[in-house]
Amino acid sequence: MISTIEAEIFEQHALEAAFLWSYRDAAAVDPLYDLQSLGELDERLEAHVDGLRLAGDAGWEICKGAIDEEEPGSLFAPMVLAVERRDLKGIAGVLDVGGGVPALARAIVSALGWVSFDKVRGILPGLLSHRVGPELHRIGIAGCAVHRQDPGAALGYAIMSSDLRLKARALRAVGELGRGDLLGEVRGTLGSEDEACRFAAAWSAALLGDAAALRVLGTIADRGGPFAERACAMAMRKTDLGMASTWLHAIAGTIRGARVALAGAAALGDPALMPWILECMGTPELARAAGGAFTMITGVDLEGAKLRGARPAGFQGGPSDDPEDEDVAMDPDESLPWPDREKIATWWGSRGKELKRGTRCLLGRPMEVAWIEEVLQRGSQAARGAAAVELGLRSAGPGMVEVRAPARCRRREP
């Protein structure tokens, strides 16, 4: 029997763990975070999870009570504890609530990535069996992928599934895990009518060195949509510099097209694109994305270099206060600083000559393997993500590094 005070402490641990997981989930892809700051956030989250661990059965009961709230963060700690306790009933309870809901399943997969693979390994046969539903099979595939562990034959089975969400996740895992033996199956999905499957197939095929993927990635980027920016970025990494620059200018005729092209420019890294990037900074809807591309190519932090500007008067990003406004999409550039175009142009005029045109650069230096590996350790999360893909393309390791993994995992690597 626990006291009222103890119960309140454990409940606070559960609440804080749920909040910090949601915060950490966003931080893992936030350009304002790097491995060190992500690690500090990880330590805060782990401290609250550890408080629940130390509470034993009482902590588990309080943690378990939050599952029915059906909020992503409220499922993270219960899944971590259930797996660590080898509580199959508890694991089933979490999966019953969140396994079939994408937003909730994300937290479940994150929990699997948080726990050591030795402890996750024991529940994988039940998740990877062809007898389970596609929602659980998808979690099993994703759980393996976040640890960069091969699910074996279950991956090939998932690629052939009629469930499109499972199929898309499996196709992405092929590239993440470097499963070149499955390239034939991936190629067979490049013509899929489902956009998510088509993108995942093209992304993995490109990562595995298949030239046919470029045409598919280019089509996805040209048409716009939720995968356009990522498709453009991958295509740029596999395209000749001259052709890439021409194509980027061709698709940049609209605001939406220019956003896609800026994502491609950041991935390409050619300083020759900087005049156009500076031009984009004059358009409020593009300014922060252009600033992000500038930083990715040059390595210059706008805040630290005092190149940050003010928010344009009257600019409205994300949902407005107007109840009749049907656009409820969040501001995609919310975490990016506003660039001061004039100051950046002056900086570029005096310092830009240090970066050689016609050379792919990442954070101010040519994309050589040694430098990319250093970026993976010291860069922002956005730069680390780019570095992970670049190393994957160079086959500098078995599969692609997971930059969203707990920082402690990366620090243990040589």
Side-chain angles (χ1 to χ4, degrees):
M1 183 89 178
I2 62 173
S3 68
T4 301
I5 294 178
E6 287 175 321
E8 289 177 353
I9 292 173
F10 302 154
E11 286 173 358
Q12 190 62 34
H13 279 312
L15 287 171
E16 290 292 334
F19 168 76
L20 285 172
W21 177 82
S22 297
Y23 194 82
R24 199 262 183 205
D25 186 48
V29 293
D30 192 324
L32 298 182
Y33 278 80
D34 58 14
L35 189 60
Q36 179 178 341
S37 55
L38 188 68
E40 292 168 356
L41 185 55
D42 286 353
E43 290 174 2
R44 292 173 57 196
L45 174 54
E46 177 66 10
H48 290 291
V49 174
D50 201 39
L52 293 166
R53 288 192 192 102
L54 295 174
D57 291 341
W60 164 245
E61 289 301 322
I62 286 175
C63 195
K64 184 174 66 173
I67 295 174
D68 291 334
E69 294 177 10
E70 298 188 16
E71 291 291 334
S74 68
L75 296 186
F76 172 77
M79 190 63 177
V80 169
L81 295 187
V83 173
E84 291 181 342
R85 292 161 60 93
R86 293 180 172 83
D87 184 341
L88 296 182
K89 185 177 179 181
I91 293 169
V94 177
L95 293 173
D96 284 345
V97 171
V101 183
L104 302 181
R106 181 182 180 86
I108 295 173
V109 172
S110 178
L112 294 178
W114 194 265
V115 178
S116 70
F117 189 71
D118 285 342
K119 294 179 179 178
V120 172
R121 192 193 311 270
I123 69 170
L124 287 176
L127 293 173
L128 295 175
S129 169
H130 66 275
R131 292 186 293 271
V132 302
E135 297 88 357
L136 297 187
H137 197 166
R138 183 180 184 276
I139 289 174
I141 294 293
C144 286
V146 296
H147 279 285
R148 297 304 189 252
Q149 297 289 330
D150 192 346
L155 184 58
Y157 174 80
I159 291 174
M160 304 306 293
S161 174
S162 59
D163 183 89
L164 296 177
R165 291 191 66 246
L166 170 58
K167 189 182 188 76
R169 186 60 188 93
L171 287 165
R172 193 172 96 214
V174 170
E176 293 170 334
L177 298 170
R179 286 286 302 272
D181 59 304
L182 292 174
L183 182 55
E185 288 83 346
V186 171
R187 284 185 182 132
T189 315
L190 289 174
S192 173
E193 294 183 2
D194 180 74
E195 187 176 20
C197 290
R198 192 166 64 252
F199 167 71
W203 184 87
S204 284
L207 200 60
L208 294 171
D210 184 39
L214 288 182
R215 178 178 55 81
V216 180
L217 290 168
T219 300
I220 294 172
D222 284 337
R223 292 178 179 175
F227 304 104
E229 293 182 25
R230 283 178 284 171
C232 188
M234 181 59 89
M236 290 301 98
R237 294 185 168 104
K238 299 285 289 180
T239 304
D240 172 79
L241 279 172
M243 292 178 58
S245 179
T246 300
W247 182 54
L248 288 178
H249 285 296
I251 66 173
T254 65
I255 295 291
R256 184 172 297 177
R259 283 194 62 87
V260 173
L262 283 168
L268 187 65
D270 188 352
L273 292 168
M274 199 57 68
W276 171 71
I277 292 173
L278 288 168
E279 182 182 335
C280 289
M281 291 182 191
T283 303
E285 294 83 357
L286 300 174
R288 288 170 292 170
F294 170 81
T295 295
M296 191 70 77
I297 295 171
T298 66
V300 176
D301 174 60
L302 299 187
E303 188 76 48
K306 298 182 179 179
L307 299 177
R308 183 170 186 164
R311 181 189 184 91
F315 178 80
Q316 179 69 51
S320 69
D321 296 328
D322 183 357
E324 297 184 1
D325 188 351
E326 296 182 356
D327 185 1
V328 296
M330 298 302 294
D331 184 349
D333 302 324
E334 184 177 5
S335 65
L336 293 173
W338 287 95
D340 187 316
R341 182 186 178 192
E342 292 184 4
K343 289 182 179 179
I344 292 174
T346 300
W347 184 95
W348 181 251
S350 62
R351 303 283 300 277
K353 58 182 177 293
E354 298 173 11
L355 298 180
K356 184 179 178 181
R357 278 65 170 168
T359 299
R360 296 191 63 216
C361 296
L362 177 62
L363 299 188
R365 290 175 59 176
M367 291 190 198
E368 299 172 351
V369 170
W371 172 242
I372 297 172
E373 290 176 340
E374 187 171 340
V375 171
L376 197 59
Q377 290 292 337
R378 302 179 183 276
S380 69
Q381 282 298 104
R384 293 183 68 225
V389 177
E390 292 291 343
L391 288 176
L393 288 167
R394 288 162 174 76
S395 300
M400 197 179 83
V401 172
E402 174 56 273
V403 300
R404 297 168 299 176
R408 64 181 184 275
C409 298
R410 185 63 191 167
R411 288 169 179 161
R412 284 200 297 264
E413 295 181 16

